[in-house]
Amino acid sequence: MTRVAAVDVGTNSVRLLVADPPDGGRQSGPPLVTVERRMTVTRLGSGVDAAGHLDDAALSRTLDCIGAYADRWRDLGARRVRVAATSAIRDAADRDRFLRAVRERVGEDAEVLSGEDEGRLTFLGATASVDGVAPYLVLDIGGGSTEFIVGSGHPEAMTSLQLGCVRMTERCLASDPPTAEELAAAVEVADEQLEAVAEEFDPAGVATLIGVAGTVTTLGALHLGLEEYQAEEVHGTRLPAAAVAELTGLLAAMTAQERADLGPMAPGREDVIVAGALILERVVQRWGFGEVLVSEADILDGLALSLLGSQKAAG
């Protein structure tokens, strides 16, 4: 049995998945057997949108996190590893500094995913274990970018926008809590960006909107009224459009500390979740989706599946 480890180095957080293939190579049921998942907010993308390069402190936090993850995947016996970085590293002029440091720290080569690669892997992971009706729109709201991927058995169209919860917070939402004027400016930015999606394809034609990543899963946990985050409860939750709008309004009216005190809120997400929720709300409203199907599985699962030689990943 080949145990694998995948690391997703995002703009806001770094995540680890250690997984095994299904017992006996089964073709039905979950496509992965999760051994361990971890998530740490390091805010690697802090300031990248404005400055164009990586912040030294953020880079140091991220490398320390990856180093700790390497100790863990070795302890657990992972034999194949994939470390992939997304928007923040794509956008940083000094990305080679990160790539060299990862190689020196953990002895593995990190890779920088294109928006298309990110979308393909996200679609693979998100659709592998949810009960939805095809065709799907997979929505991945990250820290620096948001991916839109449409397809049934595989991605058929996709686009990546420079629209993420960290990027939008830095651009528009300076106050705590954000002012009405700041929220209006953020809505305008989101709506302008969504025009680019409409030029690529019509999301209104899909049957199921699948939402992945921290903003959506946290909203799912809040909708369920969980006192603490429980991934197994959140996965597969159906988040009604009315709940998306209500939660966005409630979070926007809170201070960051008040949001941090909410049980399911991961440390470090409290100051950017308003922007992420607003992006989701604008997508739901623009294309008239009645609900969001929440998936815990995403690009991280896609990376792991690619290491296991998934035929879908190879495609």
Side-chain angles (χ1 to χ4, degrees):
M1 179 179 66
T2 301
R3 176 165 290 178
V4 301
V7 179
D8 169 32
V9 184
T11 300
N12 192 51
S13 62
V14 183
R15 299 179 303 144
L16 168 69
L17 170 62
V18 179
D20 293 333
D23 296 338
R26 290 180 290 106
Q27 296 301 309
S28 60
L32 291 170
V33 177
T34 297
V35 177
E36 183 164 305
R37 288 183 189 264
R38 292 192 177 190
M39 188 279 290
T40 308
V41 174
T42 67
R43 198 62 59 81
L44 176 61
S46 178
V48 169
D49 184 55
H53 59 77
L54 297 168
D55 175 81
D56 289 344
L59 178 59
S60 178
R61 289 193 301 270
T62 301
L63 292 171
D64 287 346
C65 176
I66 295 171
Y69 284 177
D71 291 340
R72 188 59 182 155
W73 79 56
R74 289 168 183 146
D75 286 346
L76 292 172
R79 298 176 59 188
R80 302 183 67 189
V81 179
R82 192 171 181 185
V83 180
T86 55
S87 177
I89 297 298
R90 278 201 303 267
D91 295 344
D94 55 347
R95 66 183 68 87
D96 287 346
R97 189 158 65 109
F98 166 81
L99 298 173
R100 286 195 303 270
V102 172
R103 160 52 69 178
E104 292 170 1
R105 181 70 67 95
V106 303
E108 298 284 347
D109 287 324
E111 58 187 298
V112 183
L113 297 178
S114 67
E116 183 175 331
D117 289 338
E118 186 175 353
R120 183 179 301 108
L121 289 164
T122 298
F123 186 91
L124 169 62
T127 60
S129 61
V130 293
D131 184 18
V133 177
Y136 310 104
L137 168 60
V138 176
L139 178 70
D140 179 5
I141 302 171
S145 66
T146 294
E147 275 62 53
F148 296 74
I149 315 105
V150 169
S152 294
H154 58 86
E156 296 163 11
M158 67 182 74
T159 190
S160 179
L161 301 183
Q162 295 290 82
L163 181 71
C165 60
V166 174
R167 194 184 298 268
M168 179 177 279
T169 300
E170 291 181 349
R171 286 187 181 182
C172 302
L173 305 179
S175 302
D176 182 26
T179 66
E181 291 77 14
E182 289 171 346
L183 291 168
V187 167
E188 184 175 353
V189 168
D191 288 348
E192 287 175 356
Q193 288 282 317
L194 294 182
E195 286 293 334
V197 178
E199 293 173 4
E200 296 286 337
F201 48 78
D202 181 12
V206 306
T208 304
L209 171 62
I210 301 176
V212 303
T215 289
V216 177
T217 57
T218 302
L219 291 176
L222 292 171
H223 174 63
L224 293 173
L226 300 181
E227 294 185 3
E228 60 182 24
Y229 194 85
Q230 300 176 51
E232 65 278 6
E233 294 292 328
V234 171
H235 184 66
T237 294
R238 295 182 181 272
L239 184 60
V244 173
E246 180 181 6
L247 287 168
T248 301
L250 289 171
L251 291 168
M254 294 179 177
T255 65
Q257 184 57 58
E258 288 170 336
R259 293 180 218 120
D261 291 339
L262 298 173
M265 189 71 62
R269 194 173 302 284
E270 67 276 1
D271 59 336
V272 297
I273 194 168
V274 172
L278 190 149
I279 293 167
L280 178 63
E281 192 272 336
R282 300 312 295 167
V283 170
V284 168
Q285 184 176 92
R286 180 182 178 108
W287 286 291
F289 290 107
E291 65 179 17
V292 183
L293 178 56
V294 181
S295 176
E296 274 288 325
D298 55 18
I299 186 174
L300 196 57
D301 301 73
L303 288 165
L305 286 167
S306 73
L307 287 169
L308 292 172
S310 164
Q311 293 301 308
K312 290 171 70 177

mmCIF file with all atom_site columns, all heavy atoms in Angstrom, residues 11 45-55 88 91-93 162 166-168 170-171:
data_model
loop_
_atom_site.group_PDB
_atom_site.id
_atom_site.type_symbol
_atom_site.label_atom_id
_atom_site.label_alt_id
_atom_site.label_comp_id
_atom_site.label_asym_id
_atom_site.label_entity_id
_atom_site.label_seq_id
_atom_site.pdbx_PDB_ins_code
_atom_site.Cartn_x
_atom_site.Cartn_y
_atom_site.Cartn_z
_atom_site.occupancy
_atom_site.B_iso_or_equiv
_atom_site.pdbx_formal_charge
_atom_site.auth_seq_id
_atom_site.auth_comp_id
_atom_site.auth_asym_id
_atom_site.auth_atom_id
_atom_site.pdbx_PDB_model_num
ATOM 1   N N   . THR A 1 11  ? -2.690  31.126 -0.174  1.00 0.00 ? 11  THR A N   1
ATOM 2   C CA  . THR A 1 11  ? -2.443  32.511 0.192   1.00 0.00 ? 11  THR A CA  1
ATOM 3   C C   . THR A 1 11  ? -2.684  32.745 1.670   1.00 0.00 ? 11  THR A C   1
ATOM 4   O O   . THR A 1 11  ? -1.962  33.513 2.313   1.00 0.00 ? 11  THR A O   1
ATOM 5   C CB  . THR A 1 11  ? -3.360  33.422 -0.639  1.00 0.00 ? 11  THR A CB  1
ATOM 6   O OG1 . THR A 1 11  ? -3.078  33.229 -2.025  1.00 0.00 ? 11  THR A OG1 1
ATOM 7   C CG2 . THR A 1 11  ? -3.157  34.893 -0.287  1.00 0.00 ? 11  THR A CG2 1
ATOM 8   N N   . GLY A 1 45  ? 0.337   35.104 1.663   1.00 0.00 ? 45  GLY A N   1
ATOM 9   C CA  . GLY A 1 45  ? 0.062   36.131 0.673   1.00 0.00 ? 45  GLY A CA  1
ATOM 10  C C   . GLY A 1 45  ? -0.054  37.537 1.226   1.00 0.00 ? 45  GLY A C   1
ATOM 11  O O   . GLY A 1 45  ? -0.398  38.461 0.487   1.00 0.00 ? 45  GLY A O   1
ATOM 12  N N   . SER A 1 46  ? 0.251   37.715 2.517   1.00 0.00 ? 46  SER A N   1
ATOM 13  C CA  . SER A 1 46  ? 0.135   39.045 3.123   1.00 0.00 ? 46  SER A CA  1
ATOM 14  C C   . SER A 1 46  ? 0.976   40.060 2.362   1.00 0.00 ? 46  SER A C   1
ATOM 15  O O   . SER A 1 46  ? 2.197   39.929 2.253   1.00 0.00 ? 46  SER A O   1
ATOM 16  C CB  . SER A 1 46  ? 0.573   38.991 4.585   1.00 0.00 ? 46  SER A CB  1
ATOM 17  O OG  . SER A 1 46  ? 0.512   40.255 5.182   1.00 0.00 ? 46  SER A OG  1
ATOM 18  N N   . GLY A 1 47  ? 0.311   41.087 1.801   1.00 0.00 ? 47  GLY A N   1
ATOM 19  C CA  . GLY A 1 47  ? 1.007   42.169 1.118   1.00 0.00 ? 47  GLY A CA  1
ATOM 20  C C   . GLY A 1 47  ? 1.422   41.885 -0.312  1.00 0.00 ? 47  GLY A C   1
ATOM 21  O O   . GLY A 1 47  ? 1.892   42.795 -1.011  1.00 0.00 ? 47  GLY A O   1
ATOM 22  N N   . VAL A 1 48  ? 1.254   40.652 -0.796  1.00 0.00 ? 48  VAL A N   1
ATOM 23  C CA  . VAL A 1 48  ? 1.701   40.326 -2.157  1.00 0.00 ? 48  VAL A CA  1
ATOM 24  C C   . VAL A 1 48  ? 0.936   41.130 -3.198  1.00 0.00 ? 48  VAL A C   1
ATOM 25  O O   . VAL A 1 48  ? 1.501   41.593 -4.191  1.00 0.00 ? 48  VAL A O   1
ATOM 26  C CB  . VAL A 1 48  ? 1.568   38.805 -2.424  1.00 0.00 ? 48  VAL A CB  1
ATOM 27  C CG1 . VAL A 1 48  ? 1.771   38.491 -3.905  1.00 0.00 ? 48  VAL A CG1 1
ATOM 28  C CG2 . VAL A 1 48  ? 2.574   38.034 -1.588  1.00 0.00 ? 48  VAL A CG2 1
ATOM 29  N N   . ASP A 1 49  ? -0.361  41.324 -2.975  1.00 0.00 ? 49  ASP A N   1
ATOM 30  C CA  . ASP A 1 49  ? -1.167  42.063 -3.944  1.00 0.00 ? 49  ASP A CA  1
ATOM 31  C C   . ASP A 1 49  ? -0.628  43.474 -4.149  1.00 0.00 ? 49  ASP A C   1
ATOM 32  O O   . ASP A 1 49  ? -0.564  43.967 -5.281  1.00 0.00 ? 49  ASP A O   1
ATOM 33  C CB  . ASP A 1 49  ? -2.622  42.120 -3.476  1.00 0.00 ? 49  ASP A CB  1
ATOM 34  C CG  . ASP A 1 49  ? -3.535  42.788 -4.488  1.00 0.00 ? 49  ASP A CG  1
ATOM 35  O OD1 . ASP A 1 49  ? -3.556  42.334 -5.651  1.00 0.00 ? 49  ASP A OD1 1
ATOM 36  O OD2 . ASP A 1 49  ? -4.211  43.773 -4.140  1.00 0.00 ? 49  ASP A OD2 1
ATOM 37  N N   . ALA A 1 50  ? -0.223  44.138 -3.069  1.00 0.00 ? 50  ALA A N   1
ATOM 38  C CA  . ALA A 1 50  ? 0.252   45.518 -3.166  1.00 0.00 ? 50  ALA A CA  1
ATOM 39  C C   . ALA A 1 50  ? 1.731   45.609 -3.515  1.00 0.00 ? 50  ALA A C   1
ATOM 40  O O   . ALA A 1 50  ? 2.140   46.442 -4.335  1.00 0.00 ? 50  ALA A O   1
ATOM 41  C CB  . ALA A 1 50  ? -0.012  46.253 -1.848  1.00 0.00 ? 50  ALA A CB  1
ATOM 42  N N   . ALA A 1 51  ? 2.555   44.752 -2.907  1.00 0.00 ? 51  ALA A N   1
ATOM 43  C CA  . ALA A 1 51  ? 4.004   44.878 -3.048  1.00 0.00 ? 51  ALA A CA  1
ATOM 44  C C   . ALA A 1 51  ? 4.588   44.032 -4.171  1.00 0.00 ? 51  ALA A C   1
ATOM 45  O O   . ALA A 1 51  ? 5.660   44.343 -4.701  1.00 0.00 ? 51  ALA A O   1
ATOM 46  C CB  . ALA A 1 51  ? 4.688   44.506 -1.722  1.00 0.00 ? 51  ALA A CB  1
ATOM 47  N N   . GLY A 1 52  ? 3.921   42.926 -4.499  1.00 0.00 ? 52  GLY A N   1
ATOM 48  C CA  . GLY A 1 52  ? 4.416   42.070 -5.574  1.00 0.00 ? 52  GLY A CA  1
ATOM 49  C C   . GLY A 1 52  ? 5.482   41.089 -5.149  1.00 0.00 ? 52  GLY A C   1
ATOM 50  O O   . GLY A 1 52  ? 6.003   40.347 -5.979  1.00 0.00 ? 52  GLY A O   1
ATOM 51  N N   . HIS A 1 53  ? 5.826   41.078 -3.868  1.00 0.00 ? 53  HIS A N   1
ATOM 52  C CA  . HIS A 1 53  ? 6.820   40.119 -3.392  1.00 0.00 ? 53  HIS A CA  1
ATOM 53  C C   . HIS A 1 53  ? 6.418   39.590 -2.028  1.00 0.00 ? 53  HIS A C   1
ATOM 54  O O   . HIS A 1 53  ? 5.544   40.144 -1.359  1.00 0.00 ? 53  HIS A O   1
ATOM 55  C CB  . HIS A 1 53  ? 8.218   40.741 -3.346  1.00 0.00 ? 53  HIS A CB  1
ATOM 56  C CG  . HIS A 1 53  ? 8.319   41.952 -2.452  1.00 0.00 ? 53  HIS A CG  1
ATOM 57  N ND1 . HIS A 1 53  ? 8.378   41.872 -1.084  1.00 0.00 ? 53  HIS A ND1 1
ATOM 58  C CD2 . HIS A 1 53  ? 8.352   43.277 -2.747  1.00 0.00 ? 53  HIS A CD2 1
ATOM 59  C CE1 . HIS A 1 53  ? 8.459   43.080 -0.567  1.00 0.00 ? 53  HIS A CE1 1
ATOM 60  N NE2 . HIS A 1 53  ? 8.428   43.961 -1.551  1.00 0.00 ? 53  HIS A NE2 1
ATOM 61  N N   . LEU A 1 54  ? 7.085   38.520 -1.598  1.00 0.00 ? 54  LEU A N   1
ATOM 62  C CA  . LEU A 1 54  ? 6.734   37.838 -0.362  1.00 0.00 ? 54  LEU A CA  1
ATOM 63  C C   . LEU A 1 54  ? 7.226   38.602 0.860   1.00 0.00 ? 54  LEU A C   1
ATOM 64  O O   . LEU A 1 54  ? 8.341   39.130 0.879   1.00 0.00 ? 54  LEU A O   1
ATOM 65  C CB  . LEU A 1 54  ? 7.332   36.425 -0.359  1.00 0.00 ? 54  LEU A CB  1
ATOM 66  C CG  . LEU A 1 54  ? 6.823   35.487 -1.459  1.00 0.00 ? 54  LEU A CG  1
ATOM 67  C CD1 . LEU A 1 54  ? 7.694   34.242 -1.526  1.00 0.00 ? 54  LEU A CD1 1
ATOM 68  C CD2 . LEU A 1 54  ? 5.368   35.119 -1.229  1.00 0.00 ? 54  LEU A CD2 1
ATOM 69  N N   . ASP A 1 55  ? 6.396   38.635 1.872   1.00 0.00 ? 55  ASP A N   1
ATOM 70  C CA  . ASP A 1 55  ? 6.763   39.215 3.157   1.00 0.00 ? 55  ASP A CA  1
ATOM 71  C C   . ASP A 1 55  ? 7.675   38.243 3.903   1.00 0.00 ? 55  ASP A C   1
ATOM 72  O O   . ASP A 1 55  ? 7.394   37.039 3.983   1.00 0.00 ? 55  ASP A O   1
ATOM 73  C CB  . ASP A 1 55  ? 5.485   39.483 3.960   1.00 0.00 ? 55  ASP A CB  1
ATOM 74  C CG  . ASP A 1 55  ? 5.776   39.982 5.352   1.00 0.00 ? 55  ASP A CG  1
ATOM 75  O OD1 . ASP A 1 55  ? 6.041   41.179 5.504   1.00 0.00 ? 55  ASP A OD1 1
ATOM 76  O OD2 . ASP A 1 55  ? 5.721   39.160 6.297   1.00 0.00 ? 55  ASP A OD2 1
ATOM 77  N N   . ALA A 1 88  ? -0.626  33.046 -4.217  1.00 0.00 ? 88  ALA A N   1
ATOM 78  C CA  . ALA A 1 88  ? 0.372   33.959 -3.658  1.00 0.00 ? 88  ALA A CA  1
ATOM 79  C C   . ALA A 1 88  ? 1.735   33.762 -4.309  1.00 0.00 ? 88  ALA A C   1
ATOM 80  O O   . ALA A 1 88  ? 2.433   34.736 -4.635  1.00 0.00 ? 88  ALA A O   1
ATOM 81  C CB  . ALA A 1 88  ? 0.477   33.777 -2.145  1.00 0.00 ? 88  ALA A CB  1
ATOM 82  N N   . ASP A 1 91  ? 1.864   34.896 -7.980  1.00 0.00 ? 91  ASP A N   1
ATOM 83  C CA  . ASP A 1 91  ? 1.894   36.344 -8.153  1.00 0.00 ? 91  ASP A CA  1
ATOM 84  C C   . ASP A 1 91  ? 3.170   37.004 -7.656  1.00 0.00 ? 91  ASP A C   1
ATOM 85  O O   . ASP A 1 91  ? 3.421   38.176 -7.971  1.00 0.00 ? 91  ASP A O   1
ATOM 86  C CB  . ASP A 1 91  ? 0.706   36.981 -7.414  1.00 0.00 ? 91  ASP A CB  1
ATOM 87  C CG  . ASP A 1 91  ? -0.638  36.575 -7.998  1.00 0.00 ? 91  ASP A CG  1
ATOM 88  O OD1 . ASP A 1 91  ? -0.654  36.052 -9.131  1.00 0.00 ? 91  ASP A OD1 1
ATOM 89  O OD2 . ASP A 1 91  ? -1.663  36.770 -7.324  1.00 0.00 ? 91  ASP A OD2 1
ATOM 90  N N   . ALA A 1 92  ? 3.976   36.301 -6.872  1.00 0.00 ? 92  ALA A N   1
ATOM 91  C CA  . ALA A 1 92  ? 5.157   36.906 -6.257  1.00 0.00 ? 92  ALA A CA  1
ATOM 92  C C   . ALA A 1 92  ? 6.343   36.909 -7.223  1.00 0.00 ? 92  ALA A C   1
ATOM 93  O O   . ALA A 1 92  ? 6.693   35.875 -7.797  1.00 0.00 ? 92  ALA A O   1
ATOM 94  C CB  . ALA A 1 92  ? 5.533   36.155 -4.978  1.00 0.00 ? 92  ALA A CB  1
ATOM 95  N N   . ALA A 1 93  ? 6.967   38.059 -7.369  1.00 0.00 ? 93  ALA A N   1
ATOM 96  C CA  . ALA A 1 93  ? 8.126   38.173 -8.255  1.00 0.00 ? 93  ALA A CA  1
ATOM 97  C C   . ALA A 1 93  ? 9.308   37.360 -7.727  1.00 0.00 ? 93  ALA A C   1
ATOM 98  O O   . ALA A 1 93  ? 10.169  36.926 -8.507  1.00 0.00 ? 93  ALA A O   1
ATOM 99  C CB  . ALA A 1 93  ? 8.520   39.636 -8.400  1.00 0.00 ? 93  ALA A CB  1
ATOM 100 N N   . GLN A 1 162 ? -8.586  36.978 -10.058 1.00 0.00 ? 162 GLN A N   1
ATOM 101 C CA  . GLN A 1 162 ? -7.771  37.608 -9.019  1.00 0.00 ? 162 GLN A CA  1
ATOM 102 C C   . GLN A 1 162 ? -8.706  38.162 -7.951  1.00 0.00 ? 162 GLN A C   1
ATOM 103 O O   . GLN A 1 162 ? -8.787  39.373 -7.737  1.00 0.00 ? 162 GLN A O   1
ATOM 104 C CB  . GLN A 1 162 ? -6.897  38.708 -9.618  1.00 0.00 ? 162 GLN A CB  1
ATOM 105 C CG  . GLN A 1 162 ? -5.857  38.214 -10.598 1.00 0.00 ? 162 GLN A CG  1
ATOM 106 C CD  . GLN A 1 162 ? -4.759  37.424 -9.897  1.00 0.00 ? 162 GLN A CD  1
ATOM 107 O OE1 . GLN A 1 162 ? -4.903  36.234 -9.615  1.00 0.00 ? 162 GLN A OE1 1
ATOM 108 N NE2 . GLN A 1 162 ? -3.664  38.071 -9.601  1.00 0.00 ? 162 GLN A NE2 1
ATOM 109 N N   . VAL A 1 166 ? -8.263  37.206 1.136   1.00 0.00 ? 166 VAL A N   1
ATOM 110 C CA  . VAL A 1 166 ? -7.175  38.047 1.625   1.00 0.00 ? 166 VAL A CA  1
ATOM 111 C C   . VAL A 1 166 ? -7.010  39.260 0.718   1.00 0.00 ? 166 VAL A C   1
ATOM 112 O O   . VAL A 1 166 ? -6.906  40.406 1.182   1.00 0.00 ? 166 VAL A O   1
ATOM 113 C CB  . VAL A 1 166 ? -5.857  37.250 1.699   1.00 0.00 ? 166 VAL A CB  1
ATOM 114 C CG1 . VAL A 1 166 ? -4.692  38.173 2.062   1.00 0.00 ? 166 VAL A CG1 1
ATOM 115 C CG2 . VAL A 1 166 ? -5.969  36.131 2.722   1.00 0.00 ? 166 VAL A CG2 1
ATOM 116 N N   . ARG A 1 167 ? -6.994  39.032 -0.586  1.00 0.00 ? 167 ARG A N   1
ATOM 117 C CA  . ARG A 1 167 ? -6.809  40.121 -1.547  1.00 0.00 ? 167 ARG A CA  1
ATOM 118 C C   . ARG A 1 167 ? -7.913  41.172 -1.400  1.00 0.00 ? 167 ARG A C   1
ATOM 119 O O   . ARG A 1 167 ? -7.659  42.379 -1.374  1.00 0.00 ? 167 ARG A O   1
ATOM 120 C CB  . ARG A 1 167 ? -6.790  39.553 -2.971  1.00 0.00 ? 167 ARG A CB  1
ATOM 121 C CG  . ARG A 1 167 ? -6.285  40.526 -4.022  1.00 0.00 ? 167 ARG A CG  1
ATOM 122 C CD  . ARG A 1 167 ? -6.401  39.914 -5.411  1.00 0.00 ? 167 ARG A CD  1
ATOM 123 N NE  . ARG A 1 167 ? -5.605  38.722 -5.576  1.00 0.00 ? 167 ARG A NE  1
ATOM 124 C CZ  . ARG A 1 167 ? -4.365  38.706 -6.040  1.00 0.00 ? 167 ARG A CZ  1
ATOM 125 N NH1 . ARG A 1 167 ? -3.755  39.841 -6.341  1.00 0.00 ? 167 ARG A NH1 1
ATOM 126 N NH2 . ARG A 1 167 ? -3.716  37.567 -6.193  1.00 0.00 ? 167 ARG A NH2 1
ATOM 127 N N   . MET A 1 168 ? -9.175  40.720 -1.298  1.00 0.00 ? 168 MET A N   1
ATOM 128 C CA  . MET A 1 168 ? -10.277 41.674 -1.192  1.00 0.00 ? 168 MET A CA  1
ATOM 129 C C   . MET A 1 168 ? -10.253 42.411 0.146   1.00 0.00 ? 168 MET A C   1
ATOM 130 O O   . MET A 1 168 ? -10.554 43.603 0.215   1.00 0.00 ? 168 MET A O   1
ATOM 131 C CB  . MET A 1 168 ? -11.621 40.984 -1.380  1.00 0.00 ? 168 MET A CB  1
ATOM 132 C CG  . MET A 1 168 ? -12.799 41.940 -1.242  1.00 0.00 ? 168 MET A CG  1
ATOM 133 S SD  . MET A 1 168 ? -14.396 41.164 -1.535  1.00 0.00 ? 168 MET A SD  1
ATOM 134 C CE  . MET A 1 168 ? -14.429 41.168 -3.330  1.00 0.00 ? 168 MET A CE  1
ATOM 135 N N   . GLU A 1 170 ? -7.602  43.178 1.916   1.00 0.00 ? 170 GLU A N   1
ATOM 136 C CA  . GLU A 1 170 ? -6.541  44.186 1.849   1.00 0.00 ? 170 GLU A CA  1
ATOM 137 C C   . GLU A 1 170 ? -6.933  45.367 0.976   1.00 0.00 ? 170 GLU A C   1
ATOM 138 O O   . GLU A 1 170 ? -6.575  46.511 1.264   1.00 0.00 ? 170 GLU A O   1
ATOM 139 C CB  . GLU A 1 170 ? -5.248  43.554 1.337   1.00 0.00 ? 170 GLU A CB  1
ATOM 140 C CG  . GLU A 1 170 ? -4.618  42.572 2.313   1.00 0.00 ? 170 GLU A CG  1
ATOM 141 C CD  . GLU A 1 170 ? -3.329  41.954 1.822   1.00 0.00 ? 170 GLU A CD  1
ATOM 142 O OE1 . GLU A 1 170 ? -2.999  42.119 0.613   1.00 0.00 ? 170 GLU A OE1 1
ATOM 143 O OE2 . GLU A 1 170 ? -2.642  41.312 2.629   1.00 0.00 ? 170 GLU A OE2 1
ATOM 144 N N   . ARG A 1 171 ? -7.685  45.122 -0.081  1.00 0.00 ? 171 ARG A N   1
ATOM 145 C CA  . ARG A 1 171 ? -8.062  46.186 -1.004  1.00 0.00 ? 171 ARG A CA  1
ATOM 146 C C   . ARG A 1 171 ? -9.222  47.036 -0.487  1.00 0.00 ? 171 ARG A C   1
ATOM 147 O O   . ARG A 1 171 ? -9.237  48.254 -0.691  1.00 0.00 ? 171 ARG A O   1
ATOM 148 C CB  . ARG A 1 171 ? -8.469  45.594 -2.357  1.00 0.00 ? 171 ARG A CB  1
ATOM 149 C CG  . ARG A 1 171 ? -7.326  45.096 -3.197  1.00 0.00 ? 171 ARG A CG  1
ATOM 150 C CD  . ARG A 1 171 ? -7.835  44.699 -4.583  1.00 0.00 ? 171 ARG A CD  1
ATOM 151 N NE  . ARG A 1 171 ? -6.749  44.184 -5.412  1.00 0.00 ? 171 ARG A NE  1
ATOM 152 C CZ  . ARG A 1 171 ? -6.902  43.807 -6.682  1.00 0.00 ? 171 ARG A CZ  1
ATOM 153 N NH1 . ARG A 1 171 ? -8.102  43.884 -7.255  1.00 0.00 ? 171 ARG A NH1 1
ATOM 154 N NH2 . ARG A 1 171 ? -5.871  43.362 -7.379  1.00 0.00 ? 171 ARG A NH2 1
#
